[in-house]
Amino acid sequence: MLRRDADVYVLHLQGTREEIARQHGELLRDEIQKGVVPLMANFLAQQLKDDSGLVSRVKSRAIEALLTGLSRRVAKNAPAQFRRELHIIAEAAGLTRRDADMALAVPDTMMWVVGMADYAWRAGMAVSPMPRGGGVGFGCSGVIAQPSATADGHLLQSRNLDYDGIGTFDKYPTVAFCKPVDGQAYVLIASAGVHSSALTGMNESGIFLGSNTSPTKDVSLGGMPFLAVNEEVVRQATNLDEAVAILDRNKSVSGFNVLLSHGPTGESLVAEYSSSRLGIRKPLGGCLAATNHYLNQDTIPTIPHVSLVDTVNTRKRYAQLRRKLAEGYGSLTVDDLIAMMRAQHEHPTGEPHPLGDVVCNYLNISSVVADVTDRVFWTTCDSAPSALGRYVQFDLAQELSHFGQPRAYPLQVKAADPFRATSDMDGVRAYKRAHQAHSYEAKPEEAYVELENARALLPKEPRIVLSLALMALRTNQLVEAERHAVDYLAMVEDWDARRYRAHLVRAWCMQLQGHHDAARCHLAEARRQSPHMDDADWELRYWSHRRFTHADRERLHVELFNAKRLLV
């Protein structure tokens, strides 16, 4: 059965696992063809596309072929039954098995590459950690409020899903209630064609799951894709002990923070896993929060020096969530958790920055808040940033009691945040279009134009200016890149954690124009400004290998070594 509740696609699927998968593919055939599965299936090709010259073209195609091969290997590690279900959905929707495999494996493949890059750096290799176009990186956030922290004594949990997929994942929000013949009923909260509750889900035993990627150097191509690992928890676990046992038993490719709560017992935890480690965090002060970094002593040592995730961003979001949980302790409600997921004020200044280090950023493609005690949840139905849009309520018990029938309880919709009607939101939309043009369509020139539009609407957003500098470099506009880098440095405080990136942009510009001494000065300044000395060393090693002669490299390394002695 398929119905629409305030722009949410609602599915009732039952039968064998294969029958459930086929129903999903057939009922949402058109939406799946235009949705996030084809986007992710071709994501690596779009990210690596470079037609600037024959050498670049051959190099990008070779890397794409390598990563495609790695993705196929990762997909084959998924349980045969789960992989077969994804193939059935793809074929029912008019896609290919290859599309299903690539969409399944690409997220883990990308994080495997990030983890291995750390070892390459340690071996002295020159590789760049900078996201193409200066993207914010992944930014999922989640919180859990124990019964002692809430106004009505209920267990509450919320999560923001921030990931690539704007314009596709958020366009077809899907809630699928599943009643398999051989297991417990559950609901997956995702998008058309994403047949997994590994991102966000709840089962009839009262377990609610939300997951955030967490970069780690403890990765393995012999592990299972996270979509399969987390899915098994929702399908099989009846309590948190069983959930942890499943995560411990099924080794993954890469790392995640999984927020888990159990309504009947009022218990909760965060499971931090990498390929070979599992750390458990219990509530602190009656609450839990997780973003995109580890906090358990067993998993912290596996954090890589540099990754796609912005280190400062994830830690500021975590601090913001912990502060809000502490401020509302004892009186927290569903509306309070929605407000946390919508937060666009930076910690600790409290200044509004819709494109800053905030919980709700432009890559927010889904947001869910649950009253786990009552097995009721609210999920978003509007475009990214979705948390600023409407939240639609669903009742798991009611849906299962009236399975295959129209909604048997009132439709409740929480209104969108007023920010969506402002001119600032138009600036966010322009930044989103720039991201889509660059990351999904390989059109950096169009991305640059959209970034200029975004800056005109949001002149006080430093991230736009830094992105303009990086995009200008991408399109060989060296003078413009230098100008934007200078503007960025004038906009941010001297302690700002990302100043060193602007100095790297200036160093690149100087080097390409033959101004070697000036380039070295900016490299040294980047080293001095870096909030994490190892991060700067990583990037400086890349630039020195790529843009300097052997003599220049040796001289630069000596200078950096001397600078480090003074800074330690």
Side-chain angles (χ1 to χ4, degrees):
M1 186 199 81
L2 168 65
R3 72 171 194 258
R4 293 284 296 275
D5 287 358
D7 295 321
V8 176
Y9 294 84
V10 184
L11 301 175
H12 283 191
L13 311 173
Q14 62 181 330
T16 66
R17 302 290 184 182
E18 291 81 2
E19 289 170 341
I20 287 175
R22 185 169 293 106
Q23 293 164 26
H24 186 167
E26 291 174 349
L27 289 170
L28 293 179
R29 177 184 174 89
D30 293 341
E31 291 78 10
I32 292 172
Q33 289 182 356
K34 296 178 289 187
V36 72
V37 173
L39 173 72
M40 296 311 298
N42 297 291
F43 192 72
L44 292 177
Q46 288 296 338
Q47 289 289 297
L48 297 167
K49 186 176 181 180
D50 188 349
D51 294 326
S52 58
L54 178 61
V55 174
S56 297
R57 193 156 49 246
V58 171
K59 180 180 177 181
S60 65
R61 299 298 187 275
I63 297 175
E64 178 192 345
L66 172 63
L67 295 181
T68 298
L70 293 175
S71 295
R72 287 174 177 165
R73 177 176 174 180
V74 169
K76 290 180 180 179
N77 291 339
Q81 173 65 40
F82 181 64
R83 192 179 177 205
R84 183 161 55 251
E85 293 171 30
L86 300 186
H87 288 171
I88 290 172
I89 290 177
E91 292 173 346
L95 302 180
T96 67
R97 293 188 175 190
R98 183 263 182 197
D99 292 332
D101 283 346
M102 291 298 291
L104 166 66
V106 161
D108 284 289
T109 301
M110 292 171 60
M111 300 316 292
W112 179 86
V113 171
V114 169
M116 294 306 295
D118 190 78
Y119 294 103
W121 171 77
R122 290 176 180 277
M125 297 176 64
V127 284
S128 173
M130 295 178 72
R132 288 182 59 187
V136 68
F138 310 140
C140 297
S141 303
V143 300
I144 298 175
Q146 292 285 115
S148 61
T150 63
D152 57 5
H154 286 200
L155 177 63
L156 304 180
Q157 181 170 340
S158 65
R159 68 95 82 259
N160 271 4
L161 173 62
D162 299 351
Y163 201 81
D164 267 302
I166 51 178
T168 53
F169 193 107
D170 52 334
K171 189 174 183 179
Y172 306 110
T174 300
V175 173
F177 296 93
C178 304
K179 290 184 76 172
V181 296
D182 59 348
Q184 63 181 327
Y186 64 96
V187 58
L188 63 89
I189 309 163
S191 184
V194 182
H195 193 68
S196 176
S197 54
L199 298 170
T200 315
M202 178 187 285
N203 65 26
E204 65 178 332
S205 295
I207 288 181
F208 188 91
L209 176 149
S211 60
N212 307 344
T213 188
S214 189
T216 176
K217 57 190 176 185
D218 179 22
V219 294
S220 171
L221 287 177
M224 286 170 52
F226 89 95
L227 285 170
V229 174
N230 295 357
E231 175 73 2
E232 191 169 324
V233 171
V234 178
R235 291 192 183 187
Q236 297 184 11
T238 61
N239 56 57
L240 294 189
D241 288 339
E242 291 180 4
V244 171
I246 290 170
L247 294 177
D248 192 37
R249 179 174 69 247
N250 295 321
K251 301 305 181 183
S252 67
V253 175
S254 57
F256 275 81
N257 292 329
V258 181
L259 292 96
L260 291 164
S261 57
H262 186 228
T265 61
E267 297 177 343
S268 64
L269 59 85
V270 174
E272 301 180 354
Y273 69 72
S274 59
S275 181
S276 65
R277 300 191 185 197
L278 176 64
I280 303 299
R281 283 199 289 123
K282 294 295 182 71
L284 177 64
C287 299
L288 279 164
T291 50
N292 303 104
H293 60 282
Y294 294 136
L295 291 170
N296 185 276
Q297 293 303 311
D298 292 332
T299 49
I300 285 176
T302 76
I303 297 176
H305 286 85
V306 180
S307 75
L308 294 177
V309 172
D310 188 319
T311 301
V312 176
N313 181 284
T314 178
R315 296 183 184 278
K316 280 192 174 184
R317 282 185 285 114
Y318 178 80
Q320 167 87 328
L321 292 171
R322 288 299 316 183
R323 182 172 68 84
K324 289 294 184 181
L325 289 168
E327 290 176 352
Y329 184 82
S331 61
L332 292 170
T333 65
V334 166
D335 287 340
D336 290 330
L337 267 63
I338 289 178
M340 291 183 201
M341 297 298 99
R342 287 175 167 173
Q344 292 189 299
H345 292 75
E346 287 192 337
H347 179 83
T349 63
E351 295 180 358
H353 279 289
L355 294 172
D357 298 318
V358 294
V359 173
C360 181
N361 71 57
Y362 76 102
L363 280 176
N364 172 235
I365 53 178
S366 175
S367 183
V368 182
V369 178
D371 182 329
V372 187
T373 300
D374 282 349
R375 292 190 294 174
V376 172
F377 62 91
W378 288 257
T379 187
T380 50
C381 62
D382 290 319
S383 61
S386 298
L388 296 178
R390 296 166 293 162
Y391 282 77
V392 184
Q393 185 224 42
F394 292 92
D395 187 316
L396 178 59
Q398 288 279 359
E399 295 286 348
L400 296 181
S401 297
H402 299 85
F403 204 80
Q405 302 174 27
R407 178 184 272 258
Y409 53 102
L411 177 63
Q412 298 183 34
V413 181
K414 293 187 180 293
D417 191 285
F419 179 85
R420 290 188 76 91
T422 66
S423 60
D424 284 357
M425 183 63 192
D426 292 333
V428 174
R429 292 188 181 101
Y431 195 86
K432 282 169 50 182
R433 289 193 297 270
H435 182 93
Q436 290 171 289
H438 185 254
S439 296
Y440 307 162
E441 302 165 12
K443 297 177 180 177
E445 291 79 10
E446 291 186 18
Y448 186 80
V449 172
E450 291 293 355
L451 286 172
E452 288 186 315
N453 294 336
R455 187 179 185 186
L457 292 163
L458 292 169
K460 297 183 179 180
E461 286 298 315
R463 186 176 299 281
I464 297 176
V465 182
L466 180 58
S467 295
L468 275 167
L470 293 167
M471 197 63 66
L473 281 177
R474 177 74 176 158
T475 54
N476 294 316
Q477 301 178 69
L478 300 184
V479 174
E480 291 301 299
E482 169 77 2
R483 178 173 66 84
H484 292 309
V486 171
D487 288 349
Y488 177 80
L489 289 169
M491 292 178 72
V492 297
E493 299 292 337
D494 187 59
W495 52 263
D496 187 273
R498 277 170 291 270
R499 285 178 65 88
Y500 80 101
R501 287 198 184 278
H503 284 292
L504 286 172
V505 170
R506 298 194 70 185
W508 194 358
C509 291
M510 295 296 102
Q511 178 64 15
L512 290 176
Q513 296 175 75
H515 306 313
H516 305 305
D517 289 339
R520 275 192 291 272
C521 288
H522 285 297
L523 285 169
E525 184 63 18
R527 180 66 184 77
R528 189 184 72 82
Q529 292 280 353
S530 173
H532 305 286
M533 290 189 290
D534 290 330
D535 289 8
D537 280 346
W538 208 85
E539 298 197 34
L540 292 170
R541 181 181 298 172
Y542 170 76
W543 297 120
S544 64
H545 276 252
R546 284 289 299 275
R547 304 296 174 185
F548 287 79
T549 65
H550 177 75
D552 286 335
R553 287 202 305 270
E554 293 304 313
R555 180 178 174 186
L556 175 62
H557 288 164
V558 169
E559 292 173 357
L560 291 176
F561 176 77
N562 290 334
K564 188 170 184 177
R565 289 172 58 193
L566 297 174
L567 288 166
V568 171

